[in-house]
Amino acid sequence: MIAGIEDRMTDKESTAPQAGATDVIAHVGPDATLLIVDDDGPFLRRLARAMEARGFTVETAESVAEGVAKSKANPPKHAVVDLRLGDGNGLDVIEAIRQRRDDTRIVVLTGYGNIATAVTAVKLGAVDYLAKPADADDVYAALTQRPGEKAEVPENPMSADRVRWEHIQRVYEMCERNVSETARRLNMHRRTLQRILAKRAPK
């Protein structure tokens, strides 16, 4: 799991008041179907609850295979797809959706080291990409943003130190918490990495 992602999805966000039918149509549209594909189970469930509270009809998938199957069976109007999944690449899910529906609003989730793939996803038809950790408000804003609208600048964006820390944590988790392998991939001295890992996350 990527460190910090659970912290960003607060209980307040996951239990937001249920949207009324008029609000749902105004912001989400008449077709509120949403497919969320992510192999981080706790994050997936929290995001699903948060999106249901905001008026979406949610289906979830924890793998490329499951995401593709659900896209074929019932192509959604909205989709949130993690690009790095345990059994492959989320781009396959995007392609499966696009083969059956050309009006789906797709938002992709990506780690900081995977921005190039996110750009490819946009070329395939995703409307936006969000770097992890992303919260429910970020996802909702991206899904409901109208053409020509500009995303608002966050009031409290992460500092450069926090972005660096998040990236290090992500690589550390990818390396199954192997310090030596993480240091090698980051081109960093092992002791320097150990000192960073021992500290609290910067603000």
Side-chain angles (χ1 to χ4, degrees), residues 3 24 31 34 43 66 103 111 115 125 170-171 177 194:
V24 171
D31 185 347
L34 168 63
F43 170 73
E66 188 180 5
D103 66 337
I115 298 300
R170 171 179 169 273
V171 176
R177 297 177 175 269
Q194 286 177 317

Side-chain angles (χ1 to χ4, degrees), residues 17-20 24 28-29 32-33 50-58 140:
Q18 292 287 340
V24 171
V28 177
T33 54
M51 293 299 103
E52 285 175 345
R54 287 161 172 78
F56 287 96
T57 302
V58 180
Y140 179 79

Side-chain angles (χ1 to χ4, degrees), residues 29-168:
D31 185 347
T33 54
L34 168 63
L35 174 65
I36 306 175
V37 186
D38 198 299
D39 59 1
D40 183 339
F43 170 73
L44 175 65
R45 289 186 288 275
R46 289 176 69 89
L47 181 58
R49 289 196 301 270
M51 293 299 103
E52 285 175 345
R54 287 161 172 78
F56 287 96
T57 302
V58 180
E59 274 201 273
T60 61
E62 296 191 43
S63 66
V64 171
E66 188 180 5
V68 169
K70 289 191 173 181
S71 297
K72 291 179 178 179
N74 185 27
K77 173 63 177 177
H78 307 83
V80 178
V81 181
D82 190 356
L83 290 182
R84 185 181 292 275
L85 297 162
D87 63 337
N89 196 310
L91 293 176
D92 293 336
V93 179
I94 295 172
E95 289 179 341
I97 293 171
R98 281 290 176 246
Q99 286 173 3
R100 287 158 181 79
R101 189 162 184 170
D102 60 9
D103 66 337
T104 302
R105 294 186 60 81
I106 303 171
V107 173
V108 297
L109 302 177
T110 178
Y112 289 106
N114 206 23
I115 298 300
T117 308
V119 173
T120 300
V122 171
K123 290 180 179 178
L124 286 174
V127 297
D128 204 350
Y129 65 86
L130 299 173
K132 285 187 171 181
D135 63 26
D137 289 335
D138 295 332
V139 174
Y140 179 79
L143 286 173
T144 59
Q145 183 174 307
R146 297 293 177 254
E149 288 182 350
K150 294 183 178 180
E152 293 184 5
V153 177
E155 290 185 12
N156 298 298
M158 283 189 289
S159 66
D161 287 340
R162 179 59 185 253
V163 171
R164 177 173 178 266
W165 185 87
E166 293 284 357
H167 177 60
I168 290 171

